């Protein structure tokens, strides 16, 4: 089992940057693939980026390609989401999630392990 805690959200102007972190408990962090999802008001939760256990495979939604970068540090049990060139449409609650299939980057919202979420607000 793994517990996840996100941090790093906040209010930023359009064009700015934020770095989200997700700290995981437990000694088996490296056996999970990790993903960042987001949910805006009135919209479904969507996968933004994901990374395999080794970091060798990544996935990005088309809407964030070239602007967001996902990375992980297995020694620190942490996954990151660097968000640059932020847009008002990036405003959402961002959640990290763990997938028990370590090699996958294709994730759905039916995962078992979620953080509590962190709010990201981008003003125009």
């Amino acid at each position: 089992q793994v517990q996840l805690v996100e941090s790093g959200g906040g209010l930023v102007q359009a064009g700015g940057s934020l770095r989200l972190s997700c700290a995981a408990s437990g000694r088996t962090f490296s056996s999970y693939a990790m993903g960042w999802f987001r949910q805006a008001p009135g919209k479904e939760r969507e996968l933004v980026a994901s990374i395999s256990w080794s970091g060798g495979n990544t996935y990005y939604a088309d809407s964030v390609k070239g602007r967001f970068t996902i990375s992980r540090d297995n020694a620190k049990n942490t996954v990151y989401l660097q968000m640059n060139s932020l847009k008002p449409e990036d405003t959402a609650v961002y959640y990290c999630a763990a997938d028990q299939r370590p090699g996958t980057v294709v994730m759905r919202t039916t995962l078992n392990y979620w953080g509590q979420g962190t709010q990201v607000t981008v003003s125009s």
Side-chain angles (χ1 to χ4, degrees):
Q1 200 168 17
V2 62
Q3 293 183 326
L4 306 172
V5 178
E6 302 99 334
S7 61
L11 174 64
V12 64
Q13 289 187 332
S17 298
L18 283 174
R19 188 195 197 201
L20 305 184
S21 299
C22 174
S25 65
R27 293 174 290 179
T28 59
F29 177 71
S30 60
S31 64
Y32 293 91
M34 299 298 297
W36 284 99
F37 291 74
R38 67 186 180 188
Q39 188 166 19
K43 295 189 176 181
E44 294 186 352
R45 191 171 297 189
E46 62 174 351
L47 178 63
V48 174
S50 57
I51 188 166
S52 61
W53 74 274
S54 66
N57 292 318
T58 57
Y59 163 85
Y60 295 95
D62 288 343
S63 58
V64 306
K65 278 182 183 176
R67 300 187 298 121
F68 290 12
T69 302
I70 189 171
S71 62
R72 66 189 295 162
D73 185 337
N74 288 342
K76 295 182 178 180
N77 284 9
T78 302
V79 62
Y80 305 97
L81 186 67
Q82 178 66 44
M83 305 186 295
N84 298 330
S85 302
L86 283 161
K87 304 175 181 180
E89 51 263 44
D90 294 318
T91 295
V93 177
Y94 283 71
Y95 300 89
C96 71
D99 193 314
Q100 291 174 287
R101 301 169 298 164
T104 191
V105 291
V106 179
M107 299 182 182
R108 301 185 183 276
T109 57
T110 52
L111 297 177
N112 290 328
Y113 304 112
W114 294 87
Q116 82 287 353
T118 185
Q119 177 71 47
V120 171
T121 302
V122 184
S123 63
S124 57

